[in-house]
Amino acid sequence: MLFRSGLGQRGWIAFFFLISPAFLFFGRSGIHEMPFVFFQVVFALGLLRWGEERDEKALELALFGLFGMMTLKETFVLALASWGVGAIFLGPKEWRSQFSWAHLRQTWTKSTTWLLIVLLIIFVGLFTGFGRNPRGVWSFVEAFLPWMKTGVGENGHNKEFWYWLKVTWTAEPLAVLGMVLAVWGLLAKESALRLVSVFSLCQFLLYSAIPYKTVWCIITLLWGFYFVLAMSIVKYWNRRGWQRWLLPVFVVLVLPLQFKSDYESVYKEPINMDHPYVYVNTTYEQKAIQDLILLKLQDPAFAKETVQMGMEEQWPWPWVFRNAVTSWHHCGQYVSPDALVYFCDPKDSFFIENQLKQPYLKRSFQMRQARGPSLVYLRKNVFDGTATGDYEVVGPETKQEH
């Protein structure tokens, strides 16, 4: 966001992204929604720069953003449709100014053409497996039909129309302020503010109308409202008198709520099944295991016992067990002697079970939906009688019995 875009509000936008609970929560994952938003923002910077400077750099940004969005998600069509509606709201004067074919032809250079060619080669290469599946380009088009069926079909992720509004109201106080300003921005004299306001509201309505809703898509819907908020701050700050202070004061008043949401969603209780961001990012069985272990660690007799984080996927264990004595060796490489708890991957089960010096309660569980299983080993003489569920006893005693 600090890229030299000619936009005075870019520092504000970077700040709002930095303290957004959604960007903090989902930013730690490698989900494709994060790079999709990145390319959406790059595309937006290109459009807004074109509205201000109409130079080659604006075209390059727009091309990068467009091909990035197309490569990642079919929902790029919703973004483009929303920008199209925003363009309609610009009015005839801006249409003649911004959509001039003569000016586009004058601005387009050889380097822009080469950029387009390179992006096309990358795009075709990715979708054809770099030549191994030539039909892959057509598959890019075919994918829209199952995508549309998913959007309207019964699939377990269907939500009500007001779902996104409720999530935003619950978790993103500053985005709510940006949403209110976007409604006001529909009548703004500044074409850029009007364009982004219409885009943000239109995309929000389109996503709300689609029954299929997965909560990580919230970052796609929020960034536009943070743009609106930043642009509005810059707009009103340039005025004279007390009005210039009005919006910054509102932001300062809302900031404690924003930081509170940051703390609750990311740090206070990462496995809080009541939080809207969490429900597909953890499981009830993981929550039960966490509560069981934390309860034991509260006992002074076990507070100094070791918890080994020997699995590849560890979040949120580093934060949950931040006050415990922890070991960070993979279970297939080293086993801490007589640890209270071991978190391991199934591929390491043979190694660790041959290293155990006493019996343990073993259980397979999922850290997150649609992910592979993980293993937890609880020392039997500590957890026997309190650990309920499908546990198997492993260790020296079981070997002797066999």
Side-chain angles (χ1 to χ4, degrees):
M1 290 309 308
L2 296 178
F3 179 78
R4 186 183 176 278
S5 62
L7 303 172
Q9 64 278 352
R10 61 188 185 274
W12 278 106
I13 297 170
F15 173 67
F16 293 142
F17 281 13
L18 182 67
I19 62 172
S20 165
F23 276 83
L24 283 173
F25 186 91
F26 295 109
R28 64 172 180 245
S29 303
I31 59 173
H32 61 300
E33 203 69 33
M34 290 301 292
F36 180 67
V37 170
F38 167 77
F39 285 112
Q40 274 196 303
V41 171
V42 171
F43 183 74
L45 289 176
L47 293 185
L48 295 175
R49 185 182 176 104
W50 179 260
E52 290 186 352
E53 301 186 28
R54 295 179 182 83
D55 60 0
E56 181 184 0
K57 186 68 67 177
L59 294 176
E60 292 173 351
L61 286 169
L63 286 172
F64 268 115
L66 176 62
F67 277 90
M69 289 190 294
M70 291 170 58
T71 303
L72 283 163
K73 288 195 72 175
E74 294 88 350
T75 48
F76 79 89
V77 298
L78 301 180
L80 294 182
S82 301
W83 284 117
V85 176
I88 294 173
F89 273 72
L90 289 177
K93 182 180 178 180
E94 290 292 333
W95 297 342
R96 290 190 294 270
S97 174
Q98 296 199 32
F99 307 134
S100 167
W101 176 254
H103 191 81
L104 176 62
R105 187 173 54 184
Q106 181 183 353
T107 309
W108 193 280
T109 65
K110 286 184 178 180
S111 63
T112 312
T113 302
W114 277 112
L115 174 63
L116 178 60
I117 292 172
V118 170
L119 291 173
L120 279 170
I121 291 173
I122 294 173
F123 179 83
V124 173
L126 288 171
F127 277 90
T128 61
F130 294 94
R132 290 178 296 176
N133 176 30
R135 196 178 180 278
V137 175
W138 176 243
S139 298
F140 167 77
V141 180
E142 286 183 320
F144 283 92
L145 185 59
W147 170 67
M148 287 187 288
K149 288 182 178 179
T150 300
V152 299
E154 291 292 338
N155 44 55
H157 287 294
N158 285 16
K159 313 285 193 312
E160 61 176 320
F161 177 87
W162 302 108
Y163 173 75
W164 293 121
L165 186 61
K166 290 180 178 179
V167 171
T168 307
W169 178 264
T170 300
E172 301 282 336
L174 281 176
V176 173
L177 181 58
M179 193 179 298
V180 173
L181 290 169
V183 175
W184 186 258
L186 296 177
L187 304 175
K189 293 181 180 180
E190 297 80 6
S191 59
L193 179 56
R194 192 163 66 252
L195 174 65
V196 178
S197 296
V198 175
F199 159 77
S200 303
L201 291 170
C202 184
Q203 185 171 241
F204 196 88
L205 289 172
L206 286 174
Y207 272 73
S208 297
I210 297 173
Y212 181 88
K213 296 176 176 71
T214 48
V215 71
W216 50 80
C217 291
I218 189 69
I219 59 175
T220 296
L221 306 180
L222 293 178
W223 69 262
F225 295 120
Y226 286 127
F227 261 57
V228 171
L229 180 55
M231 296 167 81
S232 299
I233 289 176
V234 173
K235 171 186 174 180
Y236 288 107
W237 186 253
N238 291 329
R239 293 184 177 183
R240 294 181 178 179
W242 62 270
Q243 289 183 333
R244 69 185 309 192
W245 295 99
L246 191 60
L247 189 51
V249 167
F250 266 106
V251 171
V252 170
L253 290 175
V254 176
L255 272 179
L257 297 176
Q258 187 87 348
F259 290 134
K260 180 175 181 287
S261 182
D262 285 329
Y263 177 67
E264 290 182 345
S265 61
V266 182
Y267 300 111
K268 181 182 179 181
E269 191 180 352
I271 310 182
N272 177 7
M273 303 304 290
D274 295 326
H275 195 282
Y277 291 165
V278 174
Y279 86 100
V280 291
N281 290 277
T282 188
T283 59
Y284 283 99
E285 56 182 348
Q286 183 187 8
K287 167 73 171 173
I289 292 169
Q290 170 201 266
D291 293 346
L292 176 66
I293 298 171
L294 288 178
L295 184 62
K296 288 295 182 183
L297 290 175
Q298 290 176 6
D299 188 334
F302 307 115
K304 300 301 181 181
E305 297 278 1
T306 301
V307 176
Q308 180 167 338
M309 310 293 181
M311 60 205 302
E312 292 179 359
E313 185 172 3
Q314 296 173 340
W315 184 262
W317 295 147
W319 180 255
V320 170
F321 298 108
R322 62 191 179 277
N323 296 321
V325 178
T326 51
S327 168
W328 300 95
H329 299 90
H330 280 282
C331 295
Q333 300 172 347
Y334 173 79
V335 178
S336 299
D338 299 324
L340 183 70
V341 178
Y342 299 99
F343 287 109
C344 305
D345 294 314
K347 62 183 177 63
D348 299 325
S349 60
F350 180 80
F351 181 83
I352 183 173
E353 289 172 22
N354 277 282
Q355 301 293 317
L356 297 177
K357 305 301 182 184
Q358 55 181 303
Y360 278 78
L361 302 176
K362 171 186 174 183
R363 178 177 177 177
S364 175
F365 71 100
Q366 274 190 309
M367 292 279 283
R368 280 168 257 293
Q369 294 181 22
R371 300 289 181 92
S374 300
L375 296 177
V376 61
Y377 294 87
L378 307 174
R379 204 160 71 208
K380 186 174 183 295
N381 63 358
V382 175
F383 289 94
D384 205 11
T386 58
T388 58
D390 189 16
Y391 285 93
E392 172 190 359
V393 180
V394 297
E397 279 186 11
T398 56
K399 293 178 183 176
Q400 292 174 6
E401 291 172 2
H402 289 302

